[in-house]
Amino acid sequence: MEATLPGLTAGVDRPFGIYVHVPFCATRCGYCDFNTYTPAELAGGSNPQGWLAALRIELGLAAAHLGAVPQVQTVFVGGGTPSLLGAAGLRSVLDAVRDYFPLAPGAEVTTEANPESTSPDFFARLRSAGFTRVSLGMQSTAPHVLAALDRVHSPGRALDAAREAGAAGFDHVSIDLIYGTPGETDDDLVRSVSAAIEADVDHLSAYALIVEDGTALARRVRRGEMPAPDDDVLARRYELLDRRLTDAGFDWYEVSNWARPGGRCRHNLGYWDGGQWWGAGPGAHGYIDSTRWWNVKHPNAYAESLANGTLPVADFEQIDAQTSHVEEVMLRMRLRCGLPLAVLSAAERERAARAIDDGLLRREDERLVLTDRGRLLADAVVRDLLG
């Protein structure tokens, strides 16, 4: 049963973005627990054309629900595999956003893409449609690592795609890596990072492999077919990739994200630094005022709700002052710019002083910033800080 979203007003003093969730994938990767569906799982139900029609309705209802429609600083099309829509489909997504929301001058417009569903023509048409940034899922250049993750692209395809995007006029190209996969070596990771650097990307995200319940990877670990990721190995791999990226002129700006000058992802910074956004698509989450909501997950239920003229909201919550404080500390502490001391209580400042003495935090002017060691223990640092 769907929920009725309360009235919302997007504050003009906070950046506003739109996230669009594309729920389609050609195959399911073994580690993935995202809200995505393969053709076999949908069994002839929802399809990209029907999803796009429903998305357009949601964006129209969203603009009407907000009343005063804010300028959009960032758009991020994620998934799933947005590139399965093709350049024409992604243009239609962006056209739908533009039809109901004004894009700010210089807006950042990003799409994720699977390297196997891209081409030089795809990138050229995407650039002409108004996209400014592409995020490519590479994960690794080692064939045995890709096989362990059930990734279907060839090891070199992501690198070719990055170069093709640059040749098409994209100044901002990002690559995603996963480290700590069973069977991966230190050299495998270093080669993957080095290859991404040589492909001239300006942004790299790197995530430790997490074994999520309900995934094929979790079942394989449970059956003893492969070991679970080792925390000490993950820490060493993080230090390796951080050192290699730093040497190549990348700076970390969030614990799992590095960029060359000018390459930071403004949309994701909105999530971490107090921004607001409308989440459109099946299972998408939004956050405006002090309200957080999430859409129904299944594409068929999503389309049915919109066909009836109602927002497809599964539920929502009002964020109280204490929850807002916890989330601010948790998110801003992950950033290179750090956490303002002013947001902490007296007791939290005392705990912060102990973390400084332990070499986990340092004070820069009136902000707290994770040290290199603190980044390895970021979640624990936050827990201790909040008491």
Side-chain angles (χ1 to χ4, degrees):
M1 184 174 180
E2 286 131 24
T4 300
L5 194 63
L8 302 170
T9 301
V12 296
D13 59 334
R14 296 161 61 195
F16 179 79
I18 291 179
Y19 172 76
V20 176
H21 185 71
V22 181
F24 307 110
C25 280
T27 61
R28 181 173 296 281
C29 298
Y31 60 90
C32 179
D33 72 337
F34 294 166
N35 186 46
T36 62
Y37 303 84
T38 65
E41 290 167 340
L42 289 171
S46 182
N47 58 61
Q49 293 73 32
W51 166 85
L52 183 57
L55 174 72
R56 178 173 287 279
I57 296 172
E58 184 185 2
L59 291 169
L61 292 174
H65 194 86
L66 288 170
V69 181
Q71 273 199 332
V72 178
Q73 280 81 38
T74 63
V75 178
F76 196 105
V77 185
T81 309
S83 48
L84 286 179
L85 301 177
L90 286 167
R91 176 187 282 273
S92 295
V93 170
L94 186 52
D95 285 346
V97 172
R98 289 190 183 113
D99 284 347
Y100 297 105
F101 290 86
L103 262 62
E108 175 192 87
V109 184
T110 304
T111 185
E112 294 179 339
N114 185 311
E116 292 296 325
S117 51
T118 65
S119 67
D121 180 68
F122 169 85
F123 290 118
R125 295 172 65 191
L126 210 60
R127 188 71 189 90
S128 68
F131 284 82
T132 66
R133 190 173 178 278
V134 174
S135 180
L136 297 163
M138 182 172 84
Q139 318 317 344
S140 176
T141 57
H144 60 279
V145 174
L146 293 175
L149 295 171
D150 294 326
R151 295 287 294 185
V152 296
H153 66 79
S154 59
R157 176 57 205 152
L159 305 172
D160 291 340
R163 296 185 183 97
E164 290 165 4
F170 280 94
D171 294 325
H172 303 299
V173 181
S174 179
I175 274 180
D176 286 358
L177 293 179
I178 290 178
Y179 60 93
T181 301
E184 178 192 63
T185 66
D186 290 353
D187 286 345
D188 289 332
L189 179 61
V190 170
R191 280 194 290 269
S192 295
V193 176
S194 298
I197 293 167
E198 290 162 10
D200 205 26
V201 302
D202 70 341
H203 187 281
L204 190 141
S205 301
Y207 305 102
L209 180 66
I210 297 175
V211 180
E212 301 284 4
D213 289 341
T215 62
L217 178 63
R219 291 189 290 273
R220 294 175 71 184
V221 170
R222 188 169 59 248
R223 291 193 298 261
E225 295 173 9
M226 61 171 55
D230 180 274
D231 288 343
D232 290 337
V233 171
L234 293 177
R236 185 175 73 248
R237 299 270 161 79
Y238 183 90
E239 291 173 328
L240 280 172
L241 68 90
D242 180 59
R243 186 162 56 248
R244 180 69 183 90
L245 287 167
T246 300
D247 289 346
F250 287 74
D251 289 321
W252 76 279
Y253 70 98
E254 191 273 342
V255 169
S256 297
N257 289 270
W258 292 258
R260 287 185 163 127
R264 296 180 177 186
C265 178
R266 288 159 47 197
H267 184 85
N268 285 343
L269 277 169
Y271 295 148
W272 300 315
D273 203 24
Q276 53 194 346
W277 66 95
W278 189 282
H285 287 57
Y287 182 62
I288 295 175
D289 287 341
S290 58
T291 303
R292 178 163 50 222
W293 73 94
W294 46 97
N295 283 347
V296 295
K297 284 191 170 184
H298 200 281
N300 293 345
Y302 170 79
E304 182 179 354
S305 177
L306 289 161
N308 292 327
T310 59
L311 285 169
V313 176
D315 208 348
F316 67 91
E317 59 182 337
Q318 301 288 353
I319 307 301
D320 60 24
Q322 177 59 25
T323 302
S324 178
H325 173 72
V326 168
E327 293 185 356
E328 181 177 17
V329 172
M330 179 180 67
L331 294 172
R332 291 193 173 184
M333 195 73 264
R334 295 179 63 86
L335 295 171
R336 173 62 183 84
C337 60
L339 176 73
L341 269 168
V343 308
L344 297 180
S345 68
E348 288 166 346
R349 289 188 184 209
E350 289 181 8
R351 290 192 285 269
R354 290 197 292 272
I356 291 171
D357 291 341
D358 291 339
L360 300 171
L361 292 175
R362 64 174 176 270
R363 184 167 174 171
E364 295 184 2
D365 298 323
E366 293 303 306
R367 305 179 80 90
L368 294 172
V369 178
L370 291 166
T371 63
D372 289 347
R373 179 167 169 261
R375 277 192 281 162
L376 297 174
L377 301 167
D379 292 343
V381 172
V382 169
R383 284 195 300 271
D384 290 346
L385 198 59
L386 290 168

